[in-house]
Amino acid sequence: MAQKVTITDVARHAKVSRQTVSNVLNTPGLVREDTRRRVLEAVETLGYRASQAARQMRTGRSRLIATRIEPTRDDIDGTVYDRFLHGLTESAAEAGYRVLLYTADDDQSEIATIDDLLAAYEPDAFVLTDTHHGDVRTSWLAGRRLPFVTFGRPWGMPEGPSHPWVDVDGAAGTAAATRHLLDAGHRRIGFIGWPPGSGVGDDRRAGWARTLAAAGVDPAGLDRASDGGVAAGEALARDLLDADRPATALLCVSDSLALGALHAARSPGAGGRANGGAGMPIAVIGFDDTSAARAMGLTSLSQPLAEAAACCVALLARALDGAGVIGEANGGAFDEARSGAGLGAHGPVATPVGTETSRSPGSTMAPTAPGGPPAQVLLQPSLVVRRSA
Amino acid sequence: MAQKVTITDVARHAKVSRQTVSNVLNTPGLVREDTRRRVLEAVETLGYRASQAARQMRTGRSRLIATRIEPTRDDIDGTVYDRFLHGLTESAAEAGYRVLLYTADDDQSEIATIDDLLAAYEPDAFVLTDTHHGDVRTSWLAGRRLPFVTFGRPWGMPEGPSHPWVDVDGAAGTAAATRHLLDAGHRRIGFIGWPPGSGVGDDRRAGWARTLAAAGVDPAGLDRASDGGVAAGEALARDLLDADRPATALLCVSDSLALGALHAARSPGAGGRANGGAGMPIAVIGFDDTSAARAMGLTSLSQPLAEAAACCVALLARALDGAGVIGEANGGAFDEARSGAGLGAHGPVATPVGTETSRSPGSTMAPTAPGGPPAQVLLQPSLVVRRSA
DNA sequence: GTGAAAGCGCTAACAG
DNA sequence: CTGTTAGCGCTTTCAC
């Protein structure tokens, strides 16, 4: 095994004191140029890298970001999180952090695990996913003033200052999809969603409803819901296609439901009634752009997951490297955090959230006023058009 | 934030010295019963948990297992790894370890990242996935005597002692699938695989070929290959179905190819030649039992991924908690490692690999003779039968 | 059995 | 600008 190289070895090699080495690494401005170079050279030669454990003991910072890995749902939709996780790992690495994984079955056990983790590994921050109504995790973390971001809005929370979050604008996505269908000549556009009560599901339904309303189409009888998978999607699709005034297009809240709907739409006889036997085929659009959608030629709404992950890291880096304490003033750290997470090159695809203080047109995020609410980021999904619509 | 509770606080609370607390936690046998209880009570009351950083500095062990998260391939097949990762996180937690994530684009950059990680976070072990011919990662790790396991055999390595690994017996899987098709009356069973040269692909092809040979069926003209996705699968399937002597069943090396094949098989006209117009439908079987397979009613071979992950952790725990130094004698640690990883309850589904020393019938793994080669585990996939076959 | 002392590698504070 | 000192929380000798 490669022998451990300590700061003392570097100091000896560079003929300076241990402290000078530490200064070169942590406070470069404090050291004379030629000393700095000599030390850096020694670091290079010896392959020195600071021990996190020792550094953590001294500074109290672990450079670890903890997040939960979900029990892979049998569902097709479960793959979305995995792509987010990959992006998170990459962005975190770019910002000098590592991702620590844990599992938990419910909110309570997740809190317990976080508590454990905090005592043992002291992660600097947490990334929470799958936010929902009555989410106790966020208030627990916020109550202890622990740095965290959620991927997902704080559904059902009272308006006003909330924790930092990143989300994808589901309503905008379904609105765009609905518009796409309207443009293609469809009027009777059905929606297959999740039962009311889920933040994400309701949001996506809203985008469809409002766009239909704006086009003067009555959504009555075009709305169906289930929390099932492919089979449920197929059943609900048949129901919509066999109705008195059948739908000619189906927009679905998830790819799994959409895949079922697609099956119904493509099965012989479907659309016969709706399109007079040989008209336009039934259009189907899903949500998440999963690999299954790609494989089946299903048009779907794609979430910018890598970017969402990068935003999460940027928000965290801002709180962590910028101000230290959460909720403190951190105006200046913004740009640094943004580029630090590797967002610089890509054009901003985000829409600033409508906060009072939000008025920087080109910005990716809603900047935080000193002492004001932390930042929120709402990203836009994009429609990937395939055979199905 | 919950104030940090140190061992000193516990000592004070229990009215003993700091050292006694440490003894209770690390060497319980050394402490008198009532002292032990008083200390444990204090630990409970104060919610004390040892700081990993401090412990790591003293012991040199981080209780961290590092693994790479793959850049989610656009492919349907990419989801397999995610399920493994979830299992790994769970099993690791049960054994008292946490999973640290990293990314890398190729073997070389992975080695560089591992090197970095080693210097900074000092993970106790690595889990490598996606082993392949000429894999330089394993020799690099082995050369430094670093503890690691691979999920995947050391393809193309010279026979003899190798590093510990866990794998799923692909050939046994395709053999079982082929037998299933033979039992259903099929004779002309085509295989759609990956181009020769990939360990996994060749292995899976071999299971099909040998089973066909055993049944006296000539595989000539029934073998196709591509490293493409769904579209490639569809094309190759049509080719096999349109051949002079068409196939009546299709076994595929992956679900993505199988989904394409399924599309070809279900399209009108398919099987007309093969089955005289109205015979038995074309059977299709995939590999990996992905969510897409489930959704499309595709029969597929399911890998016991959670179990594979548990075995990886068990192997590591054996090396880490058992003998300390890799390659040392570790006979007695075996059972401990096994139950420690939570394998106890589930019945063993594994087949011991044919090592000379392997002769414990009920065992999940091939035990290691002192000083002998580390353990290898070969698990069996299971056929999940759905509409497609 | 229990307590005292040393030190893992690092950095924050201060002295030179 | 550079070097010295101290101590983060823990475990591992070693005395008692």
Side-chain angles (χ1 to χ4, degrees):
Chain A
M1 188 195 304
Q3 263 314 309
K4 200 176 294 182
V5 182
T6 79
I7 203 170
T8 314
D9 300 322
V10 178
R12 196 170 21 233
H13 192 100
K15 307 211 188 306
V16 292
S17 79
R18 275 177 13 196
Q19 187 43 36
T20 302
V21 178
S22 174
N23 281 338
V24 169
L25 265 29
N26 300 293
T27 331
L30 230 65
V31 183
R32 206 175 37 211
E33 175 62 16
D34 68 322
T35 316
R36 203 179 63 81
R37 304 216 346 178
R38 212 169 61 243
V39 168
L40 253 26
E41 216 170 274
V43 165
E44 192 76 12
T45 310
L46 302 177
Y48 168 79
R49 254 115 4 152
S51 149
Q52 263 310 312
R55 170 176 282 187
Q56 180 181 343
M57 282 202 70
R58 202 67 187 87
T59 65
R61 327 244 357 265
S62 62
R63 304 210 71 87
L64 246 28
I65 294 174
T67 195
R68 179 165 68 109
I69 180 166
E70 317 235 344
T72 309
R73 297 179 296 224
D74 274 2
D75 217 305
I76 282 176
D77 311 321
T79 60
V80 172
Y81 173 73
D82 303 317
R83 290 197 279 152
F84 173 77
L85 186 54
H86 179 78
L88 190 69
T89 307
E90 275 199 329
S91 298
E94 279 166 34
Y97 289 86
R98 296 286 170 184
V99 173
L100 192 65
L101 249 33
Y102 63 88
T103 53
D105 294 328
D106 53 54
D107 283 10
Q108 275 310 326
S109 74
E110 179 161 6
I111 289 175
T113 305
I114 290 176
D115 199 37
D116 262 24
L117 237 35
L118 236 22
Y121 292 87
E122 293 178 77
D124 291 339
F126 294 86
V127 175
L128 262 43
T129 52
D130 197 32
T131 53
H132 49 262
H133 288 286
D135 200 321
V136 290
R137 305 169 301 167
T138 52
S139 41
W140 190 90
L141 285 165
R144 282 152 214 261
R145 330 211 92 227
L146 293 166
F148 72 101
V149 193
T150 62
F151 177 37
R153 272 160 275 184
W155 300 108
M157 294 300 205
E159 289 299 319
S162 84
H163 56 77
W165 55 258
V166 176
D167 204 358
V168 174
D169 194 339
T174 47
T178 307
R179 237 173 284 122
H180 173 82
L181 292 169
L182 286 168
D183 289 349
H186 291 282
R187 302 291 291 173
R188 305 228 11 112
I189 301 166
F191 185 80
I192 300 181
W194 291 318
S198 94
V200 174
D202 294 351
D203 185 49
R204 294 182 184 174
R205 178 180 289 106
W208 160 79
R210 89 159 95 97
T211 309
L212 230 46
V217 178
D218 178 11
L222 286 170
D223 196 353
R224 297 288 186 284
S226 159
D227 50 9
V230 178
E234 184 172 350
L236 293 180
R238 288 198 198 285
D239 192 40
L240 278 163
L241 297 176
D242 291 346
D244 279 348
R245 303 181 52 205
T248 67
L250 303 169
L251 176 56
C252 305
V253 76
S254 74
D255 272 3
S256 55
L257 286 169
L259 245 25
L262 188 62
H263 196 238
R266 284 182 181 168
S267 70
R273 299 255 315 292
N275 299 319
M280 180 158 63
I282 305 292
V284 180
I285 297 183
F287 209 117
D288 277 350
D289 191 31
T290 58
S291 52
R294 224 175 336 252
M296 302 309 298
L298 172 68
T299 293
S300 190
L301 284 155
S302 173
Q303 299 197 39
L305 295 166
E307 212 172 334
C311 287
C312 286
V313 173
L315 250 30
L316 252 23
R318 192 218 302 197
L320 261 25
D321 301 332
V325 178
I326 200 171
E328 241 178 48
N330 46 17
F334 173 58
D335 279 296
E336 189 187 80
R338 188 164 147 225
S339 60
L343 275 163
H346 328 3
V349 192
T351 300
V353 127
T355 321
E356 299 309 290
T357 53
S358 140
R359 42 172 183 78
S360 52
S363 167
T364 303
M365 308 168 190
T368 304
Q376 289 93 31
V377 182
L378 197 55
L379 300 164
Q380 295 305 317
S382 53
L383 189 67
V384 180
V385 178
R386 301 206 177 81
R387 300 197 307 274
S388 81
Chain B
M1 188 196 304
Q3 264 314 310
K4 199 177 294 183
V5 182
T6 79
I7 203 170
T8 314
D9 300 322
V10 178
R12 196 170 22 234
H13 192 101
K15 304 208 189 307
V16 294
S17 77
R18 278 183 3 203
Q19 185 40 35
T20 302
V21 178
S22 176
N23 281 337
V24 169
L25 264 30
N26 301 293
T27 332
L30 230 64
V31 183
R32 208 174 37 210
E33 175 62 16
D34 69 321
T35 315
R36 202 179 64 81
R37 305 214 349 177
R38 210 168 63 242
V39 169
L40 253 26
E41 216 171 275
V43 166
E44 191 76 13
T45 310
L46 302 177
Y48 168 79
R49 253 111 10 148
S51 149
Q52 262 311 312
R55 170 176 281 188
Q56 179 181 344
M57 282 201 69
R58 200 69 185 87
T59 64
R61 326 241 2 262
S62 62
R63 302 210 73 86
L64 246 29
I65 293 175
T67 196
R68 179 165 68 109
I69 180 166
E70 316 234 344
T72 309
R73 295 180 296 224
D74 275 2
D75 217 305
I76 281 176
D77 312 321
T79 59
V80 173
Y81 173 72
D82 303 316
R83 290 196 278 152
F84 174 77
L85 187 54
H86 179 77
L88 191 68
T89 307
E90 276 200 328
S91 298
E94 280 165 34
Y97 288 87
R98 295 286 169 185
V99 173
L100 192 65
L101 250 32
Y102 63 88
T103 53
D105 294 329
D106 53 53
D107 283 10
Q108 276 309 327
S109 74
E110 179 162 5
I111 289 175
T113 305
I114 290 176
D115 199 36
D116 262 24
L117 237 35
L118 237 22
Y121 293 87
E122 295 177 75
D124 292 338
F126 294 87
V127 174
L128 262 43
T129 52
D130 198 31
T131 54
H132 49 262
H133 288 287
D135 199 322
V136 290
R137 304 170 301 168
T138 51
S139 41
W140 190 91
L141 284 166
R144 282 153 214 261
R145 330 211 92 227
L146 293 166
F148 72 101
V149 194
T150 62
F151 177 37
R153 273 161 276 186
W155 300 107
M157 293 300 206
E159 289 298 319
S162 84
H163 56 76
W165 55 258
V166 175
D167 203 358
V168 173
D169 193 341
T174 47
T178 307
R179 236 172 286 122
H180 174 80
L181 292 168
L182 286 167
D183 289 349
H186 292 282
R187 302 292 291 173
R188 301 219 26 102
I189 301 167
F191 185 80
I192 300 180
W194 290 320
S198 93
V200 174
D202 294 350
D203 185 48
R204 294 182 184 177
R205 178 180 289 105
W208 160 80
R210 90 158 95 96
T211 308
L212 230 46
V217 178
D218 179 11
L222 287 170
D223 196 355
R224 296 288 186 284
S226 160
D227 50 9
V230 177
E234 183 172 351
L236 293 180
R238 287 197 197 285
D239 193 40
L240 278 164
L241 298 176
D242 291 347
D244 280 348
R245 301 180 52 204
T248 67
L250 303 170
L251 177 55
C252 304
V253 76
S254 74
D255 272 2
S256 55
L257 287 169
L259 245 24
L262 188 62
H263 196 238
R266 284 182 181 168
S267 70
R273 298 257 314 294
N275 300 317
M280 180 157 64
I282 305 292
V284 179
I285 297 182
F287 209 116
D288 277 350
D289 191 30
T290 58
S291 51
R294 224 177 335 253
M296 303 308 297
L298 173 67
T299 293
S300 190
L301 285 154
S302 173
Q303 299 196 40
L305 295 166
E307 212 173 335
C311 287
C312 286
V313 173
L315 249 32
L316 288 177
R318 188 207 320 187
L320 261 26
D321 301 332
V325 178
I326 201 170
E328 240 179 50
N330 47 16
F334 172 58
D335 279 296
E336 189 187 80
R338 190 164 146 224
S339 60
L343 275 163
H346 329 3
V349 192
T351 299
V353 127
T355 322
E356 301 307 291
T357 53
S358 143
R359 43 175 180 77
S360 52
S363 167
T364 302
M365 307 169 190
T368 305
Q376 287 93 31
V377 182
L378 198 55
L379 299 165
Q380 296 304 317
S382 54
L383 189 68
V384 180
V385 179
R386 300 206 178 81
R387 300 196 306 274
S388 81

